[in-house]
């Protein structure tokens, strides 16, 4: 199976397996769940949304896919681009044939359809459309997960990661990009970007039927016309793969660093340019685009010449060695379109001919080229020499010093030079030219070889700002400006590690700045290392860290800003707690669980948060929970599962006994904290602040006592009223008790917790929890403690084993 298919399949299976009972997903259209204009699908990780939109100044309605989190609506795909809706009566549904169709309220004749003929009507009820996190809308048969149709097969103007452009030889489907007509009209426009399979395959940008720019053939690392693909900037975050086999001829790219800057797309613009964009600092930044200068335009210089844009005022076009202008007059008035012809002096066939090298070029149009991957470059030369119709040769694959043999048989067309990128092309010349070259004993340099500018990192200078996406460091003066010099008015909160300020960057982006106290012991290098690692974490239930700022004494972490408060300000508040009905609470519980699971095992690092608590769970505007404050998180490398520290950090009420007493922390200490948090969400009571006159003086003990007596439901937050599903709440209390069991080994892992939350399987009986925080009623302390001494402050009352 090819990588894209298997990737899609695994993404699909993952998504399907997450469709569980409690945490309902909003990314599918099923036969009984269509969407109307005004409604949207949102992919699981909230990367993409699908719905109805009107582009620019248009009043027409279209169904499209756009980035969910990007403020500037960026539509990446349009369904009915050539057949807009006049009004908002559109409905997107699965019809009785199992196709996804767009129609209006009163009309059954579809405006747009996936048009799959072969879906059995007896099985229609189980086809469904799902929006995947890669931005692909797939129509699948649920019983076998077979993909019947996918939007990635019908691209519009945007080339997304994991999308394939090219020919599928099995189905005959040709996938290519086409521009929009204008900003206001997604109608199929004049420009297209596609693979031309004639000869040796290459990519072209066409205007109508006419080639406008040739991106060129694949040289193993880059498209020959896009040497930028070799640059570090380009290479560090995307990897491109080109496949030419019995399955098809396709090009696709993946993302190697799915971090905060991973919003990458290639766009075929309505004015006929193809370029790469990255989302950063609240806007799309263009890295490069083509065609950009006259040398990029197809056939700007005619056959057997090359275009050299670095000649200043001189004419760009130059004949290849051994050739002269076909029309010297045209040439003299700077029109190179007629090209060059061979100087007729001596034969180039078995008459002592040979080759001269043209360095750093975009190799000629390969529609007349032949390839033989079995030959080395030396053998390639012999092969080309042997065959008099061969006019030039080069390596087919530039990786590993050159593999394979690419030969041209006919006019050499559309060559341009680059500064220090590009390929070497060997051109057949007669013995006279060859003799001249050899007598000067410099086969490669002098007149025909081209300048190599050392410091030209990019041949044209990138018009986007250069950014090292591995190291998001903010400038102190920008942070000072953003926070009004850390003014009190901007203060959001204070904790054991420092203060948090709200800030507004110049580009309008809101941030939260955590300014670490100056005496924080962490070394600057270590601090930066952690930021770099944490910056790579990306999950809808984690607050995004955008970067850091280190200058002098100052150490700061910059996070995304969430306007709605932390969870504690809801669940422990007399009024606001009633806004959280059970449905919302279980969503929050599931979200937190998934966020921790990601930290523990789904991210590439193993991270112990160490300070999970209600005040470290922030809520976004839709009350989706986001775990914050990785300031104390410990990153475990490799297989390490447990560690010891002399420096116990954490918060009363949430610390597991082994951590509080022995400084031993592991993923199971986070599970403990999660259990406490879960029980707090159900009861609306603080574990540390629990103050009831009765036999139990601590929330966990209180719940445990009720549980043993079969009266667990009495602990449920009264503000939930009677409207909750008792069995589900009871199950959650049960799971909470499993998480706070005294012995770490008895506690489930987060993946088990997530499983238990989403399934109805029987649960084991909980053993007695740890009652380590029998706080007295004056303990209102919810702040984080740090330091070796703090361990002495903890009162431990009852830790008898069973
Ligand atoms: C849009 O309106 C025009 C004229 O009012 C009508 O002819 C056309 O069928 C409508 N199109 C759709 C998709 O409803
Ligand atoms: C659809 O039908 C309803 C009543 O059947 C009517 O009120 C409405 O105007 C119709 N809408 C369109 C777009 O024709
Ligand atoms: C319909 O679904 C069943 C399994 O549910 C499968 O065995 C059968 O082959 C399907 N029929 C068609 C025509 O796809
Ligand atoms: C990206 O590179 C990795 C490792 O080099 C490889 O496994 C993966 O298939 C590549 N992805 C694409 C889209 O080429
Ligand atoms: C030269 O190469 C071309 C293309 O590979 C081939 O069609 C032709 O038969 C070859 N001629 C000779 C004499 O080998
Ligand atoms: C910010 O405030 C500090 C003291 O509160 C002051 O020393 C410093 O000069 C101020 N910086 C700016 C740029 O206003
Ligand atoms: C969340 O914050 C926004 C903006 O401050 C506010 O309008 C909204 O009412 C808040 N929502 C809740 C549920 O608190």
């Amino acid at each position: 199976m090819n990588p894209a298919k298997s990737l899609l399949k695994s993404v699909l299976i993952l998504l399907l397996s997450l469709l569980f009972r409690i945490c309902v997903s909003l990314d599918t259209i099923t036969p009984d769940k269509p969407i109307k204009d005004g409604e949207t699908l949102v992919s699981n990780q909230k990367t993409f949304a699908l719905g109805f939109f009107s582009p620019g100044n248009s009043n027409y309605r279209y169904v499209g896919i756009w980035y969910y989190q990007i403020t500037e609506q960026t539509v990446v795909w349009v369904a009915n681009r050539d057949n807009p809706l006049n009004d908002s009566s559109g409905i997107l549904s699965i019809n009785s044939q199992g196709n996804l169709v767009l129609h209006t309220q009163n009309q059954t004749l579809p405006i747009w359809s996936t048009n799959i003929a072969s879906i059995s009507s007896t099985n229609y009820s189980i086809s469904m459309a799902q929006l995947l996190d890669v931005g692909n809308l797939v129509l699948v048969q649920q019983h076998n997960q077979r993909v019947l149709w996918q939007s990635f097969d019908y691209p519009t103007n945007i080339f997304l990661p994991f999308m394939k452009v090219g020919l599928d030889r099995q189905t005959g489907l040709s996938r290519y990009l086409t521009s929009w007509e204008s900003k206001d009209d997604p109608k199929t426009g004049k420009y297209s970007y596609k693979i031309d399979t004639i000869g040796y395959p290459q990519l072209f940008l066409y205007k109508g039927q006419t080639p406008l720019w040739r991106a060129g053939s694949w040289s193993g690392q880059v498209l020959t016309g896009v040497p930028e693909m070799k640059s570090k900037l380009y290479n560090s975050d995307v990897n491109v793969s080109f496949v030419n086999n019995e399955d098809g001829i396709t090009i696709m790219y993946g993302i190697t660093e799915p971090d905060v800057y991973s919003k990458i797309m290639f766009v075929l613009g309505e004015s006929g340019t193809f370029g790469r964009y990255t989302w950063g600092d609240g806007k799309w930044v263009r890295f490069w685009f083509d065609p950009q200068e006259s040398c990029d335009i197809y056939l700007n210089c005619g056959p057997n010449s090359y275009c050299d844009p670095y000649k200043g005022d001189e004419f760009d076009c130059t004949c290849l060695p051994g050739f002269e202008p076909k029309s010297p007059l045209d040439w003299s008035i700077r029109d190179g379109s007629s090209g060059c012809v061979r100087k007729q002096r001596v034969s180039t066939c078995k008459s002592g001919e040979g080759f001269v090298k043209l360095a750093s070029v975009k190799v000629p149009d390969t529609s007349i080229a032949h390839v033989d991957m079995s030959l080395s470059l030396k053998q390639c030369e012999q092969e080309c020499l042997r065959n008099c119709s061969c006019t030039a040769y080069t390596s087919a694959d530039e990786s590993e010093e050159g593999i394979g043999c690419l030969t041209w048989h006919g006019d050499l067309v559309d060559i341009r030079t680059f500064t220090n990128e590009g390929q070497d092309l060997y051109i057949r010349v007669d013995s006279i030219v060859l003799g001249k070259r050899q007598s000067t004993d410099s086969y490669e340099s002098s007149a025909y070889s081209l300048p190599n500018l050392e410091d030209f990192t990019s041949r044209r200078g990138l018009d986007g700002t250069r950014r090292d996406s591995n190291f998001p460091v903010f400038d102190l003066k920008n942070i000072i400006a953003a926070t009004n010099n850390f003014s009190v008015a901007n203060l959001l909160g204070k904790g054991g590690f420092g203060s948090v300020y709200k800030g507004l960057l110049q580009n309008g982006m809101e941030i939260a700045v955590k300014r670490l106290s100056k005496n924080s012991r962490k070394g600057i290098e270590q601090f930066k290392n952690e930021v770099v690692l944490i910056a790579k974490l990306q999950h809808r239930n984690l607050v995004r860290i955008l970067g850091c700022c280190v200058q002098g004494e100052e150490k700061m972490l910059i996070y995304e800003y969430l306007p709605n408060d932390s969870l504690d300000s809801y669940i422990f508040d007399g009024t606001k707690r009633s806004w959280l009905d059970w449905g919302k609470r279980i969503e929050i519980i599931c979200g937190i669980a998934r966020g921790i699971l990601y930290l523990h095992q789904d991210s590439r690092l193993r991270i112990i948060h160490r300070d999970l608590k209600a005040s470290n769970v922030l809520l976004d505007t839709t009350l989706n929970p986001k775990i914050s404050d990785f300031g104390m998180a410990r990153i475990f490398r490799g297989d390490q599962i447990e560690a010891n520290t002399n420096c116990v950090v954490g918060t009363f009420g949430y610390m597991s006994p082994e951590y509080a007493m022995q400084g031993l922390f592991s993923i199971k200490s986070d599970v403990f904290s999660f259990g406490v948090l879960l029980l707090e969400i159900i009861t609306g009571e603080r574990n540390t602040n629990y103050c009831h006159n009765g036999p139990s003086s601590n929330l966990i003990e209180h719940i445990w006592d009720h549980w043993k007596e079969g009266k667990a439901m009495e602990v449920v937050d009264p503000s939930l009223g009677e409207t909750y599903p008792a069995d589900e709440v009871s199950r959650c209390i049960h799971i909470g008790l499993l998480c706070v069991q005294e012995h770490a080994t008895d506690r489930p892992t987060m993946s088990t917790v997530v499983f238990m939350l989403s399934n109805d399987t029987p649960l084991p009986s909980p053993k007695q929890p740890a009652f380590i925080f029998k706080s007295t009623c004056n303990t209102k302390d919810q702040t984080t403690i740090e330091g070796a001494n703090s361990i002495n402050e903890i009162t431990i009352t009852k830790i008898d084993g069973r």
Side-chain angles (χ1 to χ4, degrees):
M1 197 180 287
N2 68 37
K5 265 192 197 142
S6 70
L7 177 93
L8 282 176
K9 191 158 181 218
S10 55
V11 167
L12 198 66
I13 290 170
L14 175 74
L15 290 179
L16 288 174
S17 68
L18 286 174
L19 285 173
F20 41 67
R21 191 177 54 87
I22 308 177
C23 307
V24 188
S25 74
L26 303 165
D27 58 356
T28 47
I29 295 175
T30 55
D32 56 1
K33 210 178 78 188
I35 64 164
K36 299 200 286 278
D37 196 329
E39 297 172 342
T40 49
L41 294 187
V42 177
S43 70
N44 185 40
Q45 304 280 316
K46 296 202 170 179
T47 44
F48 286 97
L50 176 145
F52 293 77
F53 73 101
S54 294
N57 295 322
S58 169
N59 292 319
Y60 288 120
R61 303 296 286 166
Y62 297 88
V63 167
I65 297 175
W66 55 87
Y67 289 93
Y68 181 75
Q69 281 150 345
I70 288 181
T71 41
E72 177 186 328
Q73 189 179 58
T74 309
V75 174
V76 298
W77 183 75
V78 184
N80 56 322
R81 62 187 307 194
D82 293 316
N83 202 4
L85 289 156
N86 288 331
D87 53 31
S88 53
S89 66
I91 297 173
L92 189 62
S93 63
I94 307 279
N95 74 1
S96 57
Q97 276 78 50
N99 268 306
L100 182 65
V101 295
L102 174 63
H103 54 93
T104 58
Q105 243 144 28
N106 298 355
Q107 274 214 310
T108 43
L109 200 66
I111 282 160
W112 174 88
S113 164
T114 51
N115 251 330
I116 307 294
S118 58
I119 312 172
S120 155
S121 58
T122 55
N123 280 351
Y124 78 90
S125 62
I126 47 171
S127 86
M128 64 168 203
Q130 183 170 25
L131 179 61
L132 304 183
D133 279 317
V134 290
N136 193 6
L137 178 67
V138 291
L139 183 69
V140 290
Q141 263 179 321
Q142 262 189 56
H143 73 283
N144 57 8
Q145 287 168 21
R146 191 163 74 90
V147 175
L148 301 166
W149 176 94
Q150 54 179 335
S151 63
F152 270 18
D153 282 343
Y154 303 91
T156 54
N157 62 332
I158 303 224
F159 188 26
L160 287 176
F162 308 114
M163 191 183 242
K164 277 182 185 171
V165 161
L167 176 71
D168 184 331
R169 289 198 218 266
Q170 307 294 328
T171 61
L173 182 71
S174 168
R175 289 163 293 212
Y176 56 89
L177 307 179
T178 43
S179 65
W180 284 24
E181 179 69 23
S182 71
K183 288 257 180 271
D184 297 336
D185 189 355
K187 187 170 107 190
T188 307
K190 289 192 276 300
Y191 300 96
S192 58
Y193 186 64
K194 59 175 109 177
I195 294 187
D196 178 354
T197 57
I198 296 169
Y200 192 56
Q202 48 189 345
L203 277 122
F204 270 102
L205 195 160
Y206 293 91
K207 178 177 186 178
Q209 304 297 316
T210 314
L212 185 63
W213 169 63
R214 190 173 61 91
S217 53
W218 181 248
S219 71
Q221 292 169 315
V222 302
L223 289 169
T224 56
V226 194
E228 286 91 342
M229 288 165 77
K230 227 180 226 163
S231 84
K232 275 218 181 66
L233 186 65
Y234 191 107
N235 251 350
S236 63
D237 54 5
V238 307
N239 65 351
V240 183
S241 55
F242 189 90
V243 173
N244 183 358
N245 60 23
E246 63 280 6
D247 291 334
I249 307 175
T250 54
I251 187 163
M252 72 175 274
Y253 69 102
I255 290 182
T256 51
E257 303 275 333
D259 60 14
V260 286
Y261 302 113
S262 71
K263 298 287 192 317
I264 292 172
M265 63 178 184
F266 289 81
V267 180
L268 176 56
E270 43 276 0
S271 57
T273 55
F274 183 71
R276 183 208 146 132
Y277 291 75
T278 299
W279 181 259
D281 292 343
K283 61 178 190 291
W284 286 105
V285 176
R286 187 167 68 183
F287 275 38
W288 59 264
F289 69 96
D290 275 308
Q292 197 179 111
E293 53 199 1
S294 56
C295 282
D296 290 323
I297 301 298
Y298 187 70
L299 281 182
N300 181 56
C301 299
N304 305 311
S305 67
Y306 62 87
C307 192
D308 179 357
Y310 312 111
K311 289 167 76 177
D313 283 342
E314 283 177 61
F315 184 33
D316 290 347
C317 300
T318 306
C319 288
L320 291 172
F323 289 80
E324 61 193 359
K326 184 174 179 189
S327 161
L329 181 63
D330 287 356
W331 219 255
S332 68
I333 56 167
R334 296 191 165 208
D335 174 0
S337 59
S338 54
C340 303
V341 291
R342 210 174 268 285
K343 293 175 188 163
Q344 292 300 336
R345 289 183 300 207
V346 294
S347 168
T348 53
C349 186
K350 315 236 173 341
S351 309
E353 70 274 11
F355 298 92
V356 296
K357 177 166 121 180
L358 200 56
S360 303
V361 299
K362 166 173 161 184
V363 300
D365 187 329
T366 53
S367 56
I368 54 156
H370 292 263
V371 71
D372 184 341
M373 292 309 291
S374 68
L375 301 180
S376 69
L377 193 60
K378 194 73 213 159
Q379 291 167 322
C380 191
E381 178 180 13
Q382 286 154 12
E383 184 62 29
C384 190
L385 194 58
R386 215 174 49 78
N387 185 330
C388 289
S389 78
C390 179
T391 49
Y393 74 91
T394 189
S395 292
D397 187 332
E398 293 278 285
S399 37
E400 299 166 38
E401 314 264 291
I403 311 163
C405 176
L406 195 57
T407 54
W408 281 262
H409 302 264
D411 283 338
L412 302 172
V413 162
D414 194 41
I415 306 170
R416 65 156 286 170
T417 59
F418 296 122
T419 48
N420 57 355
E421 304 288 358
Q423 276 176 274
D424 294 340
L425 180 70
Y426 300 88
I427 294 160
R428 188 182 205 106
V429 294
D430 62 35
S431 55
I432 298 172
V433 178
L434 189 63
K436 270 198 204 132
R437 315 285 307 151
Q438 280 172 341
S439 66
T440 62
D441 202 23
S442 62
Y443 196 76
E444 293 169 11
S445 59
S446 90
Y448 297 123
S449 70
L450 299 152
N452 269 318
L453 303 180
E454 292 283 316
D455 56 348
F456 212 84
T457 42
S458 138
R459 70 178 152 127
R460 298 148 187 174
L462 306 166
D463 66 347
T465 40
R466 187 175 265 275
R467 172 220 305 286
D468 186 346
S469 65
N470 284 329
F471 206 88
V473 179
F474 288 72
D475 216 338
L476 180 61
K477 74 176 186 303
N478 293 341
I479 299 297
I480 287 178
T483 58
N484 208 354
N485 198 5
F486 304 104
S487 81
V488 180
N490 288 43
L491 188 64
L492 292 172
K494 261 187 166 152
F497 280 82
S499 309
V500 183
Y501 296 86
K502 181 177 172 177
L504 182 66
L505 293 179
Q506 236 157 22
N507 63 20
M509 185 183 194
E510 289 184 317
I511 53 173
V513 179
K514 183 166 182 181
R515 189 186 197 186
L516 304 186
S517 21
K518 299 224 166 90
N519 60 9
S520 181
R521 274 166 302 212
K522 223 166 243 182
I524 287 194
E525 279 315 304
Q526 192 192 350
F527 171 78
K528 280 189 185 172
N529 269 339
E530 288 207 13
V531 174
V532 170
L533 291 172
I534 292 170
K536 292 190 173 148
L537 299 177
Q538 220 185 358
H539 189 274
R540 63 174 297 219
N541 297 115
L542 299 183
V543 171
R544 278 195 189 178
I545 180 160
L546 304 175
C548 68
C549 170
V550 189
Q551 219 155 310
E553 291 267 77
E554 295 280 7
K555 286 199 278 290
M556 281 169 262
L557 294 166
I558 321 296
Y559 294 92
E560 69 173 321
Y561 172 72
L562 295 171
N564 295 73
D565 250 338
S566 49
L567 182 60
D568 60 332
S569 73
Y570 288 83
I571 56 171
F572 303 137
D573 182 282
T575 329
K576 284 199 204 157
R577 65 164 56 154
S578 61
W579 301 358
L580 301 180
D581 61 9
W582 176 252
K584 204 67 228 174
R585 289 192 202 197
I586 185 70
E587 264 178 42
I588 290 172
I589 291 169
C590 289
I592 298 168
R594 276 184 252 134
I596 305 171
L597 176 62
Y598 174 83
L599 289 176
H600 284 184
Q601 69 179 58
D602 288 353
S603 70
R604 285 174 300 175
L605 313 159
R606 179 186 279 275
I607 292 169
I608 314 292
H609 186 285
R610 297 207 294 170
D611 199 18
L612 289 165
K613 57 179 170 181
S615 58
N616 277 342
V617 175
L618 304 182
L619 298 176
D620 70 11
T621 46
T622 62
L623 299 180
N624 171 50
K626 285 174 181 274
I627 298 169
S628 77
D629 208 338
F630 313 103
M632 287 188 290
R634 271 304 177 90
I635 294 157
F636 279 19
R637 275 148 245 270
D639 298 330
Q640 190 185 3
I641 52 163
E642 193 178 82
N644 199 294
T645 180
N646 292 327
C647 168
V648 172
V649 296
T651 303
F652 290 122
Y654 291 92
M655 270 192 270
S656 66
E658 73 278 7
Y659 181 38
M661 294 186 304
Q662 296 156 39
L664 211 57
F665 61 92
S666 68
I667 54 176
K668 295 296 187 70
S669 39
D670 277 356
V671 171
F672 184 94
S673 310
F674 171 77
V676 174
L677 186 50
L678 193 165
L679 295 170
E680 288 183 336
I681 293 171
I682 295 171
T683 58
E685 300 275 1
R686 284 184 202 272
N687 190 31
T688 45
N689 217 13
Y690 186 75
C691 223
H692 275 243
N693 300 324
S696 2
S697 61
N698 137 324
L699 177 66
I700 293 178
E701 193 175 356
H702 174 73
I703 295 171
W704 176 247
D705 289 346
H706 280 72
W707 175 265
K708 275 191 305 191
E709 292 162 27
K711 297 189 293 190
M713 298 311 282
E714 288 177 14
V715 306
V716 175
D717 183 353
S719 72
L720 281 175
E722 300 294 327
T723 57
Y724 54 83
D727 49 344
E728 201 171 281
V729 175
S730 161
R731 186 176 173 84
C732 280
I733 297 175
H734 192 154
I735 295 168
L737 287 171
L738 289 170
C739 292
V740 296
Q741 291 175 101
E742 181 169 348
H743 294 292
T745 50
D746 292 333
R747 292 175 216 142
T749 59
M750 281 319 292
S751 61
T752 309
V753 170
V754 168
F755 180 81
M756 291 190 300
L757 283 170
S758 32
N759 289 279
D760 266 335
T761 51
L763 303 175
S765 291
K767 296 181 186 167
Q768 172 151 342
F771 300 139
I772 60 166
F773 295 105
K774 264 203 192 229
S775 53
T776 49
C777 283
N778 58 11
T779 314
K780 297 231 167 181
D781 192 354
Q782 268 287 116
T783 55
T784 297
I785 53 167
E786 179 185 24
N789 292 337
S790 56
I791 196 162
N792 300 330
E793 297 164 23
I794 300 163
T795 25
I796 298 151
T797 49
K798 189 171 171 187
I799 13 168
D800 44 359
R802 292 168 61 89

